[in-house]
Amino acid sequence: MATTIAGAFQQFKANLEISSLQESTTSTRQQNVRDAVSKDFVVLDTFLTGSYRRSTMIAPLKSADIDVFAVLDPRYFAAQNQHTLLTSVKTTLKKKYPSTPRIKPDGQAVTITFTDFEVDVVPGFYRNGGGFLIPDANLKRWIPSDPKKHVELWSQSNKAHNGALVPLIKMLKCWNRANGNLLRSFHLEVLVRHVLRDVTISDYASGARWAFDKMRGKVWVKVADPAGYSDDVASYLAKSEADKIIAALDKAYRKAVAAESNASYGFVRSAIEDWQTVFGDYFPGYG
C-alpha cells in the first residue's frame, strides 16, 4: 500500500525483485545444469545470460526462466545440425534429471521445466570475428549473438540513467506480462533502452509514460540488436501481433497520461488506481 506516487513506484520496484533465497536456489540449479552438460560435451565456457544476467528478471520466479549458455567445442558444430544438437543436449540433461517430466528443445535452447522455475540451456559456439553462434532449429540456421556484450551495454545504459533504467525495464516487463506477453522479453528490453537513449529518466512515472508513447512508433521500425549481430530483433512479429502491441501501448500511454494528470491535481488515489490498471496486481494500492 502507498500514499504517494513515488512511494507506490518504489514499492512496485521492490515487488518485482527476486529474493535472496531465490537467488541462492537459481545459483545452485544453474551450476548443476552446467556440470551435467560438461559430462557429455567438451565445454569451452559456460555462463549465465538472458534477463537474469542483465538484472532485468522479474518476480515471481515461477514464471521466469534462467538462461545457461554453454560454449561447445567446434567439433559439434561440424558434426551436428541445429536440431540434432539440441536433441543431443536434451539427452544429456535427461540423464541428470530422469524424473523431470518436461525437458524439451525449444527452437534455440533446451528448456528444463522444474517445479519452481525453468532453465533454458543454450548451446553455442565461438564465432569468427567475435560473439557466438546459437542454433535456430525452427529456421535451420545459426544466429550470431553476443549475450556478454548485452550485459555490458545494459550496465552502461543503466549508469547513464543513474540506475533507473533497469528498474523501469522490469516495470515495463510486468506490463507486458499483464497483457499476455505480447512482446518477447529481449525485444521489449531493446525497445525501452532504444527510446530512452537521448533522455534521462527523472522519475518512474514519467519514464513509463515516455516509454509507452515512444514505443508505439517503434514496433514497425527495424531495431537492431545493440551488440551488432542482427538487423531486426522484431523479425518474429506478424502484422496482426504488431497491431495488438501498438494498441496495447496506446492504451497504456493514455492511462499513464491520465495518472499523471490526476497526480498533478493532487488526486493521488485516482493516480495510483490508474497505474494499477496499467501494471496489474504487482503495483500497490492506495493506503
Side-chain angles (χ1 to χ4, degrees), residues 174-220:
C174 187
W175 163 83
N176 189 46
R177 185 172 65 196
N179 283 271
N181 291 312
L182 295 170
L183 290 140
R184 288 185 182 177
S185 178
F186 183 65
H187 181 200
L188 175 63
E189 293 191 33
V190 170
L191 277 179
V192 176
R193 179 177 176 270
H194 182 74
V195 301
L196 288 163
R197 284 185 306 176
D198 299 322
V199 297
T200 301
I201 300 167
S202 56
D203 59 74
Y204 293 125
S206 63
R209 184 254 305 149
W210 176 277
F212 286 132
D213 180 21
K214 303 305 179 185
M215 286 167 62
R216 293 180 298 174
K218 296 296 182 181
V219 174
W220 276 122

Side-chain angles (χ1 to χ4, degrees), residues 97-210:
Y97 303 104
S99 61
T100 302
R102 293 188 61 190
I103 301 178
K104 65 173 186 175
D106 188 20
Q108 299 172 13
V110 178
T111 301
I112 313 171
T113 304
F114 295 104
T115 56
D116 45 0
F117 61 91
E118 294 183 346
V119 174
D120 286 339
V121 183
V122 184
F125 303 93
Y126 287 122
R127 174 180 176 274
N128 291 333
F132 305 89
L133 292 174
I134 61 176
D136 182 347
N138 295 327
L139 297 179
K140 299 180 181 179
R141 61 176 182 169
W142 298 97
I143 302 174
S145 184
D146 193 344
K148 289 188 174 182
K149 185 65 175 178
H150 294 149
V151 174
E152 295 176 13
L153 293 171
W154 265 237
S155 178
Q156 291 169 7
S157 295
N158 195 44
K159 288 179 181 178
H161 286 281
N162 300 312
L165 178 63
V166 163
L168 185 61
I169 285 175
K170 294 169 77 169
M171 293 172 188
L172 271 290
K173 291 178 79 170
C174 187
W175 163 83
N176 189 46
R177 185 172 65 196
N179 283 271
N181 291 312
L182 295 170
L183 290 140
R184 288 185 182 177
S185 178
F186 183 65
H187 181 200
L188 175 63
E189 293 191 33
V190 170
L191 277 179
V192 176
R193 179 177 176 270
H194 182 74
V195 301
L196 288 163
R197 284 185 306 176
D198 299 322
V199 297
T200 301
I201 300 167
S202 56
D203 59 74
Y204 293 125
S206 63
R209 184 254 305 149
W210 176 277

